[in-house]
Amino acid sequence: MADKKTDNNKRQGKGNACPVFSKCGGCQLQNMTYDRQLSFKQAKCIKLLGRFGHVEEIIGMKEPVHYRCKVQAAFGRTRGGKIVSGVYQSSSHRIVLVDECMLENKKADKIIVDIRKLLTPFRLYPYDEDTGRGFLRHVLVRVGYHTGEIMVVLVTAVPQFPRKNDFINELLKLHPEITTVVQNINPAHTSMVLGKDEKILFGRGYIEDTLCGCVFRISPTAFYQINPIQTEVLYNTAMEFAALTGNETVMDAYCGVGTIGLVASKQAKFVVGVELNPDSVKDAISNAKRNKAENIRFICGDAGEYAVQLAEDGEKADVLFMDPPRAGSDVKFMASAVKMAPKKIVYISCSPETLARDLAYLVKNGYKVKKIQPVDMFPHTSHVETVVQLSRKRPDTYIDLKIDLDELDRTAAEAKPTYDEIKDYVFKNYGLKVSSLYISQVKRKLGLEVGESYNKPKSADAKQPQCPEEKEKAIIEALKWFKMI
Ligand code: SAH
């Protein structure tokens, strides 16, 4: 059991804080003290972003443990037949038993352990990927940090749930703090956790939480930041950089479920959010209603396409928030955004590498970097989030924007994700580890450009491990996500 002393050790990175550190792979920096982790991330930001200006000191967490309010566990059996729940071991589908994780919400972890213990007395068994038999595949728990609401999602292979009501009652007896239970049915032979069909078994099927004074609905599939404490720090920094007065027209590009736009709408004249994922847009619209925000609209579509249209119509924006995925933004979006001439751009990024590339473009095209603030959203992992404030230079201090096609091509090429980003995506979404060799094999198969001699076999009959089908599928999904295909 975690007590104060072990938590303190984890914070300090003393000893082997986690028994599955090497098998899980989730905490890349856990062997460093938290202070060292922060210095490491600061140095990374300075290296990549220092040429644009002073990098403020990274804002870390006071208590950098148990911050994950979304916890997911896979269910299976050991070779000896014991039921286990936890994470997939690196590069395999063997499950590593995790009862407690230093990143995860403690209550969520306890609920998952108790669900595991309830399975045998209820004669419910974990799903077996090889035989396709069994019931429970995953459990997902989401906790509303401020509201205390808890949602349990039982991901099952089949819709039938024998003794469902008794099972739920037993679980609620152990954890009366659970406010809703949902069954998600995923019969597909896939690494995706959630399936399409859902049944609400108890409560209202979603939870709510508050963020910067707004209420958000979190449904089983909704995208929602997992570290609520640091998300507020991040958004407050973004709002401080935007310095809204109530008169501005604001664009929230890559808006997800509308969080940044909704927080901004309280201090702006009008906000438009644009987002590619239709489910997120639906959630954004209901979030606007829930918060009685009448000065905000959401557009479902590609941020680049939409910006081009607005720029062609001669629309202007005063402040632009942009929070793209790891692959960063693209020239299509930025060229049109620049035409809309916002006085300020607040760029929120989860990848300092692609941020540096995009800042270079914005700086070349009339903007000046004023502030760079890193925030540690994911302690013990190698990720770092950064908020940048840019302001428009006076028109006579820069030459008007002209993009030639060569430049567009070059920047589009630079926008390609790195192999590490593809690996990261595949790991996060499918729990699979893939090698650069496998990525290059899949890219070659799809006719995509791969560095000339990159991982090619040395001779025609040389034997190389071939990418397994499941990993190939996951890599293809990643390439789609990064818009490479
Ligand atoms: N601002 C939100 C979400 C950021 S994640 C928040 O703070 O929670 C990045 C979002 O960009 C995702 O929701 C993703 O679906 C969206 N996205 C990715 N590519 C896009 C594109 N080309 N146009 C619009 N949105 C896109």
mmCIF file of all heavy atoms in Angstrom, residues 60-78:
data_model
loop_
_atom_site.group_PDB
_atom_site.id
_atom_site.type_symbol
_atom_site.label_atom_id
_atom_site.label_comp_id
_atom_site.label_asym_id
_atom_site.label_seq_id
_atom_site.Cartn_x
_atom_site.Cartn_y
_atom_site.Cartn_z
ATOM 1 N N GLY A 60 6.065 23.218 -12.599
ATOM 2 C CA GLY A 60 5.902 21.807 -12.235
ATOM 3 C C GLY A 60 4.723 21.628 -11.302
ATOM 4 O O GLY A 60 4.025 22.587 -10.962
ATOM 5 N N MET A 61 4.501 20.379 -10.889
ATOM 6 C CA MET A 61 3.410 20.098 -9.944
ATOM 7 C C MET A 61 3.961 20.063 -8.525
ATOM 8 O O MET A 61 5.068 19.578 -8.312
ATOM 9 C CB MET A 61 2.792 18.730 -10.231
ATOM 10 C CG MET A 61 1.905 18.689 -11.440
ATOM 11 S SD MET A 61 1.009 17.104 -11.529
ATOM 12 C CE MET A 61 -0.410 17.423 -10.462
ATOM 13 N N LYS A 62 3.145 20.520 -7.574
ATOM 14 C CA LYS A 62 3.560 20.435 -6.168
ATOM 15 C C LYS A 62 3.613 18.986 -5.738
ATOM 16 O O LYS A 62 4.528 18.542 -5.062
ATOM 17 C CB LYS A 62 2.565 21.193 -5.290
ATOM 18 C CG LYS A 62 2.846 22.670 -5.229
ATOM 19 C CD LYS A 62 2.210 23.269 -3.958
ATOM 20 C CE LYS A 62 2.211 24.778 -4.053
ATOM 21 N NZ LYS A 62 1.039 25.287 -4.826
ATOM 22 N N GLU A 63 2.585 18.241 -6.109
ATOM 23 C CA GLU A 63 2.512 16.815 -5.767
ATOM 24 C C GLU A 63 2.441 16.041 -7.083
ATOM 25 O O GLU A 63 1.344 15.745 -7.564
ATOM 26 C CB GLU A 63 1.237 16.537 -4.959
ATOM 27 C CG GLU A 63 1.158 17.229 -3.622
ATOM 28 C CD GLU A 63 2.015 16.529 -2.580
ATOM 29 O OE1 GLU A 63 2.183 15.307 -2.671
ATOM 30 O OE2 GLU A 63 2.532 17.230 -1.692
ATOM 31 N N PRO A 64 3.587 15.698 -7.647
ATOM 32 C CA PRO A 64 3.537 15.135 -9.012
ATOM 33 C C PRO A 64 3.197 13.645 -9.057
ATOM 34 O O PRO A 64 3.828 12.886 -9.789
ATOM 35 C CB PRO A 64 4.962 15.393 -9.520
ATOM 36 C CG PRO A 64 5.792 15.351 -8.291
ATOM 37 C CD PRO A 64 4.952 15.832 -7.149
ATOM 38 N N VAL A 65 2.230 13.237 -8.257
ATOM 39 C CA VAL A 65 1.822 11.826 -8.255
ATOM 40 C C VAL A 65 0.298 11.718 -8.321
ATOM 41 O O VAL A 65 -0.410 12.654 -7.961
ATOM 42 C CB VAL A 65 2.325 11.087 -6.976
ATOM 43 C CG1 VAL A 65 3.799 10.773 -7.081
ATOM 44 C CG2 VAL A 65 2.025 11.875 -5.724
ATOM 45 N N HIS A 66 -0.167 10.572 -8.813
ATOM 46 C CA HIS A 66 -1.601 10.258 -8.872
ATOM 47 C C HIS A 66 -2.415 11.362 -9.551
ATOM 48 O O HIS A 66 -3.504 11.707 -9.107
ATOM 49 C CB HIS A 66 -2.142 9.982 -7.464
ATOM 50 C CG HIS A 66 -1.377 8.890 -6.777
ATOM 51 N ND1 HIS A 66 -1.381 7.595 -7.231
ATOM 52 C CD2 HIS A 66 -0.533 8.912 -5.709
ATOM 53 C CE1 HIS A 66 -0.597 6.857 -6.464
ATOM 54 N NE2 HIS A 66 -0.051 7.631 -5.543
ATOM 55 N N TYR A 67 -1.865 11.928 -10.622
ATOM 56 C CA TYR A 67 -2.549 13.037 -11.294
ATOM 57 C C TYR A 67 -3.489 12.583 -12.411
ATOM 58 O O TYR A 67 -4.311 13.345 -12.869
ATOM 59 C CB TYR A 67 -1.531 14.047 -11.839
ATOM 60 C CG TYR A 67 -0.526 13.480 -12.815
ATOM 61 C CD1 TYR A 67 -0.862 13.267 -14.149
ATOM 62 C CD2 TYR A 67 0.768 13.163 -12.409
ATOM 63 C CE1 TYR A 67 0.062 12.740 -15.037
ATOM 64 C CE2 TYR A 67 1.701 12.642 -13.302
ATOM 65 C CZ TYR A 67 1.338 12.436 -14.610
ATOM 66 O OH TYR A 67 2.241 11.920 -15.493
ATOM 67 N N ARG A 68 -3.344 11.349 -12.869
ATOM 68 C CA ARG A 68 -4.159 10.893 -14.002
ATOM 69 C C ARG A 68 -5.599 10.607 -13.565
ATOM 70 O O ARG A 68 -5.846 9.702 -12.759
ATOM 71 C CB ARG A 68 -3.601 9.589 -14.576
ATOM 72 C CG ARG A 68 -2.421 9.752 -15.483
ATOM 73 C CD ARG A 68 -2.194 8.454 -16.229
ATOM 74 N NE ARG A 68 -3.278 8.242 -17.172
ATOM 75 C CZ ARG A 68 -3.142 8.311 -18.489
ATOM 76 N NH1 ARG A 68 -1.969 8.523 -19.012
ATOM 77 N NH2 ARG A 68 -4.167 8.141 -19.284
ATOM 78 N N CYS A 69 -6.552 11.362 -14.098
ATOM 79 C CA CYS A 69 -7.947 11.156 -13.731
ATOM 80 C C CYS A 69 -8.659 10.256 -14.720
ATOM 81 O O CYS A 69 -9.861 10.046 -14.616
ATOM 82 C CB CYS A 69 -8.658 12.498 -13.625
ATOM 83 S SG CYS A 69 -8.292 13.250 -12.045
ATOM 84 N N LYS A 70 -7.910 9.770 -15.699
ATOM 85 C CA LYS A 70 -8.467 8.766 -16.620
ATOM 86 C C LYS A 70 -7.554 7.555 -16.509
ATOM 87 O O LYS A 70 -6.360 7.648 -16.793
ATOM 88 C CB LYS A 70 -8.441 9.312 -18.045
ATOM 89 C CG LYS A 70 -8.876 8.312 -19.078
ATOM 90 C CD LYS A 70 -8.688 8.880 -20.476
ATOM 91 C CE LYS A 70 -8.975 7.802 -21.512
ATOM 92 N NZ LYS A 70 -8.671 8.268 -22.870
ATOM 93 N N VAL A 71 -8.115 6.448 -16.053
ATOM 94 C CA VAL A 71 -7.297 5.263 -15.805
ATOM 95 C C VAL A 71 -7.899 4.089 -16.570
ATOM 96 O O VAL A 71 -9.112 3.873 -16.545
ATOM 97 C CB VAL A 71 -7.241 4.941 -14.293
ATOM 98 C CG1 VAL A 71 -6.472 3.653 -14.049
ATOM 99 C CG2 VAL A 71 -6.593 6.090 -13.530
ATOM 100 N N GLN A 72 -7.036 3.366 -17.231
ATOM 101 C CA GLN A 72 -7.494 2.294 -18.087
ATOM 102 C C GLN A 72 -6.719 1.019 -17.768
ATOM 103 O O GLN A 72 -5.515 1.084 -17.593
ATOM 104 C CB GLN A 72 -7.135 2.725 -19.494
ATOM 105 C CG GLN A 72 -8.015 2.213 -20.568
ATOM 106 C CD GLN A 72 -7.805 3.073 -21.804
ATOM 107 O OE1 GLN A 72 -8.379 4.148 -21.907
ATOM 108 N NE2 GLN A 72 -6.970 2.621 -22.700
ATOM 109 N N ALA A 73 -7.399 -0.109 -17.672
ATOM 110 C CA ALA A 73 -6.679 -1.363 -17.423
ATOM 111 C C ALA A 73 -7.182 -2.448 -18.360
ATOM 112 O O ALA A 73 -8.389 -2.567 -18.605
ATOM 113 C CB ALA A 73 -6.882 -1.805 -15.974
ATOM 114 N N ALA A 74 -6.229 -3.221 -18.874
ATOM 115 C CA ALA A 74 -6.583 -4.371 -19.716
ATOM 116 C C ALA A 74 -6.752 -5.572 -18.796
ATOM 117 O O ALA A 74 -6.072 -5.678 -17.769
ATOM 118 C CB ALA A 74 -5.478 -4.631 -20.720
ATOM 119 N N PHE A 75 -7.667 -6.472 -19.150
ATOM 120 C CA PHE A 75 -7.891 -7.678 -18.347
ATOM 121 C C PHE A 75 -7.483 -8.927 -19.122
ATOM 122 O O PHE A 75 -7.674 -9.011 -20.330
ATOM 123 C CB PHE A 75 -9.377 -7.779 -17.945
ATOM 124 C CG PHE A 75 -9.695 -6.965 -16.733
ATOM 125 C CD1 PHE A 75 -9.649 -5.581 -16.793
ATOM 126 C CD2 PHE A 75 -9.993 -7.572 -15.524
ATOM 127 C CE1 PHE A 75 -9.914 -4.810 -15.664
ATOM 128 C CE2 PHE A 75 -10.267 -6.814 -14.388
ATOM 129 C CZ PHE A 75 -10.223 -5.428 -14.458
ATOM 130 N N GLY A 76 -6.904 -9.885 -18.406
ATOM 131 C CA GLY A 76 -6.492 -11.138 -19.051
ATOM 132 C C GLY A 76 -6.102 -12.140 -17.985
ATOM 133 O O GLY A 76 -6.462 -12.001 -16.808
ATOM 134 N N ARG A 77 -5.355 -13.142 -18.406
ATOM 135 C CA ARG A 77 -4.898 -14.168 -17.464
ATOM 136 C C ARG A 77 -3.413 -14.387 -17.632
ATOM 137 O O ARG A 77 -2.872 -14.215 -18.724
ATOM 138 C CB ARG A 77 -5.579 -15.500 -17.781
ATOM 139 C CG ARG A 77 -6.999 -15.603 -17.333
ATOM 140 C CD ARG A 77 -7.486 -16.989 -17.682
ATOM 141 N NE ARG A 77 -8.918 -17.122 -17.522
ATOM 142 C CZ ARG A 77 -9.502 -17.441 -16.372
ATOM 143 N NH1 ARG A 77 -8.782 -17.643 -15.308
ATOM 144 N NH2 ARG A 77 -10.815 -17.547 -16.296
ATOM 145 N N THR A 78 -2.790 -14.842 -16.549
ATOM 146 C CA THR A 78 -1.388 -15.240 -16.655
ATOM 147 C C THR A 78 -1.365 -16.639 -17.272
ATOM 148 O O THR A 78 -2.407 -17.273 -17.408
ATOM 149 C CB THR A 78 -0.725 -15.334 -15.267
ATOM 150 O OG1 THR A 78 -1.460 -16.304 -14.513
ATOM 151 C CG2 THR A 78 -0.721 -14.013 -14.537
#
